[in-house]
């Protein structure tokens, strides 16, 4: 089977509990919704469900306006990080680039986002 990295899906798929934001400048602070115009950090819980260890796999983080539909070709890249995992293993991965969410979909004070990792 080899390497198989996964981030568990939500229902619907973009509401994954394995992807979260931490408002403010402290990436170790409590999770919470992103606020438009304010910095936050993005995390993802990554699993190696294959049978081969992986070294320095790139995890890319994106955001998109969910009101228009999105995928990796229409989303905006936030940044990336790297993860090394044995099998089976899992880890929380921090996006190395802070994110300042945009105000979209006329939601007062909170950015409406989708993140693809």
């Amino acid at each position: 089977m080899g390497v198989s990295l996964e981030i568990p899906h939500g229902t619907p798929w973009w509401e994954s509990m394995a992807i979260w934001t931490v408002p403010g400048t402290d990436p170790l602070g409590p999770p919470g919704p992103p606020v438009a115009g304010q910095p936050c950090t993005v995390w993802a819980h990554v699993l190696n469900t294959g049978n081969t260890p992986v070294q320095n796999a790139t995890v890319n983080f994106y955001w998109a306006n969910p009101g228009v539909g999105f995928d990796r070709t229409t989303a905006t890249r936030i940044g990336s990080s790297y993860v090394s995992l044995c099998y089976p293993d899992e880890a929380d991965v921090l996006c190395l680039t802070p994110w300042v969410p945009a105000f979209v979909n006329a939601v007062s004070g909170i950015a409406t986002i989708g993140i693809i990792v």
Side-chain angles (χ1 to χ4, degrees), residues 21-22 24-25 34-42 63 76-78 97-104 111 113:
T21 58
V22 175
T25 57
V35 178
Q38 300 295 314
C40 70
T41 53
V42 184
W63 79 272
T76 302
R77 187 171 179 272
I78 297 169
T97 305
W99 176 44
V100 178
F103 185 82
V104 296
I113 63 159

Side-chain angles (χ1 to χ4, degrees), residues 46-111:
V46 181
L47 313 169
N48 182 354
T49 59
N51 59 9
T52 303
V54 61
Q55 296 295 316
N56 296 320
T58 302
V59 179
N60 291 305
F61 294 80
Y62 298 85
W63 79 272
N65 177 349
V68 297
F70 59 90
D71 61 23
R72 286 180 187 88
T73 63
T74 60
T76 302
R77 187 171 179 272
I78 297 169
S80 62
S81 192
Y82 304 93
V83 65
S84 297
L85 294 171
C86 292
Y87 60 92
D89 205 359
E90 55 192 76
D92 293 338
V93 179
L94 169 66
C95 180
L96 297 176
T97 305
W99 176 44
V100 178
F103 185 82
V104 296
N105 290 346
V107 177
S108 179
I110 296 176

Side-chain angles (χ1 to χ4, degrees), residues 1-12:
M1 176 199 269
V3 173
S4 178
L5 295 181
E6 296 180 14
I7 296 170
H9 290 240
T11 304

